[in-house]
């Protein structure tokens, strides 16, 4: 019994020694892997820094190049427009953070200045055109993607800035309220009519009752401020105009 116990104890000690050896080896491998990864990240960052410095002007001024740059970053899981607090060293290096936030301020400027007439809902193309005019740049320099990225930076403000789809067209909502289903239908129909909408369109195209059409339009007019009333319409006597579905020249 004593001899067998000694053999058992020796086997136990060998097992313990093996576990310690494996633990040491695992620790050494983990450290080597971490060191290798850190070396790769350093090389990666150096390469990106060189690329960013070399192409900084093109990224800021050329919308096509900027789009490809953002797509490349997205494919490797890097946000080039994240602020410094989010680890966005790209934003500081490129100056893109300031550029993006400046664009965001101008988006707010346009949205606030047009809110009285459109009720806080503006068509994306119209917003891009007005922001471009405000910045004094040619058409195409500021893209929809630029605006979408800037609107993301505005979300922490809690002011309701959001890109939504209405009838297959992008709209920017800049008030803290959701569109209900009937409002979405009215906006989609108004877009096909250049902004003008009457009860008959909703009844004939959507199968609504006159009561539902009238109530929905009056809510948009009085409660939400999303449309105007023309009480002297030549064809129907009363028509509603949705500013966010109209084309403005200024």
């Amino acid at each position: 019994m004593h001899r067998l116990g000694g053999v058992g104890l020796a086997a136990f000690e060998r097992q313990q020694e093996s576990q310690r050896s494996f633990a040491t080896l695992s620790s050494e491998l983990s450290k080597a892997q971490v060191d290798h990864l850190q070396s790769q990240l350093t090389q990666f960052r150096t390469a990106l820094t060189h690329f960013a410095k070399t192409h900084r002007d093109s990224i800021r001024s050329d919308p096509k190049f900027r789009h490809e740059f953002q797509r490349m970053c997205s494919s490797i899981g890097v946000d080039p427009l994240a602020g410094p607090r989010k680890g966005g060293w790209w934003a500081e290096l490129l100056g893109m953070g300031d550029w993006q936030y400046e664009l965001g301020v101008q988006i707010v400027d346009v949205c606030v200045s047009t809110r009285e007439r459109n009720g806080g809902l503006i068509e994306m193309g119209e917003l891009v055109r007005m922001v471009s005019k405000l910045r004094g740049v040619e058409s195409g320099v500021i893209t929809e993607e630029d605006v979408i990225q800037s609107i993301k930076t505005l979300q922490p403000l809690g002011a309701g800035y959001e890109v939504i789809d209405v009838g297959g067209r992008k709209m920017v909502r800049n008030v803290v309220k959701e569109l209900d289903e009937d409002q979405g239908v009215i906006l989609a129909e108004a877009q096909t009519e250049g902004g003008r909408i009457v009860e008959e369109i909703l009844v004939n195209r959507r199968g609504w009752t006159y009561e539902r059409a009238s109530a929905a339009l009056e809510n948009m007019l009085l409660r939400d401020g999303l449309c105007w009333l023309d009480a002297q319409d030549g064809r129907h006597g009363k028509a509603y105009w949705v500013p966010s579905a109209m084309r403005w020249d200024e």
Side-chain angles (χ1 to χ4, degrees):
M1 292 293 292
H2 179 71
R3 184 175 60 84
L4 290 175
V7 173
L9 181 60
F12 177 74
E13 289 178 348
R14 285 197 300 270
Q15 182 180 12
Q16 290 291 93
E17 182 63 28
S18 297
Q19 289 177 348
R20 285 193 293 269
S21 297
F22 282 126
T24 300
L25 178 60
S26 176
S27 177
E28 291 176 353
L29 287 174
S30 297
K31 184 178 184 305
Q33 289 173 338
V34 169
D35 290 343
H36 181 62
L37 178 59
Q38 288 178 337
S39 176
Q40 287 184 322
L41 288 176
T42 299
Q43 294 176 7
F44 180 63
R45 178 166 178 165
T46 299
L48 289 180
T49 300
H50 176 72
F51 178 87
K53 288 181 177 179
T54 303
H55 300 286
R56 173 173 176 166
D57 291 340
S58 296
I59 293 171
R60 289 171 61 92
S61 62
D62 186 337
K64 184 176 181 180
F65 192 93
R66 184 167 60 249
H67 174 72
E68 292 300 323
F69 172 71
Q70 291 173 337
R71 189 171 67 173
M72 177 191 72
C73 293
S74 177
S75 69
I76 59 177
V78 174
D79 182 2
L81 302 178
R85 292 184 180 179
K86 294 183 180 180
W89 57 275
W90 287 66
E92 297 180 34
L93 180 65
L94 295 170
M96 287 292 288
D98 292 340
W99 184 89
Q100 204 74 31
Y101 295 131
E102 178 185 325
L103 180 60
V105 170
Q106 291 168 331
I107 289 172
V108 171
D109 190 359
V110 170
C111 288
V112 171
S113 65
T114 60
R115 189 175 293 164
E116 184 175 351
R117 78 182 185 202
N118 60 31
L121 193 65
I122 185 170
E123 196 266 331
M124 175 64 80
E126 185 69 10
L127 177 58
V128 171
R129 186 182 67 82
M130 294 186 70
V131 168
S132 297
K133 183 177 180 179
L134 185 63
R135 293 178 72 91
V137 297
E138 298 179 356
S139 175
V141 174
I142 303 299
T143 66
E144 288 189 4
E145 183 62 28
D146 293 331
V147 172
I148 291 172
Q149 291 294 330
S150 284
I151 287 176
K152 290 180 181 178
T153 69
L154 299 176
Q155 290 179 346
L157 298 178
Y161 286 87
E162 183 181 7
V163 179
I164 61 176
D165 183 276
V166 177
R169 296 175 63 183
K170 291 187 180 70
M171 310 284 288
V172 176
R173 186 181 66 206
N174 53 88
V175 289
V176 188
K177 59 183 176 183
E178 298 284 342
L179 293 178
D180 61 36
E181 184 177 347
D182 284 359
Q183 289 173 331
V185 170
I186 292 172
L187 287 171
E189 292 295 344
Q191 288 174 344
T192 66
E193 298 294 324
R196 180 178 177 275
I197 187 75
V198 295
E199 295 174 3
E200 283 76 6
I201 291 177
L202 299 171
V203 171
N204 296 330
R205 295 182 186 175
R206 299 289 181 161
W208 288 11
T209 63
Y210 276 99
E211 290 76 11
R212 179 181 178 182
S214 176
L217 288 168
E218 285 298 307
N219 281 337
M220 289 187 66
L221 173 68
L222 301 176
R223 183 190 68 192
D224 304 312
L226 292 174
C227 63
W228 300 339
L229 174 64
D230 178 4
Q232 298 179 338
D233 182 70
R235 294 173 56 188
H236 296 90
K238 182 171 68 172
Y240 298 83
W241 288 87
V242 181
S244 59
M246 298 163 59
R247 181 72 179 181
W248 299 87
D249 296 329
E250 77 271 16

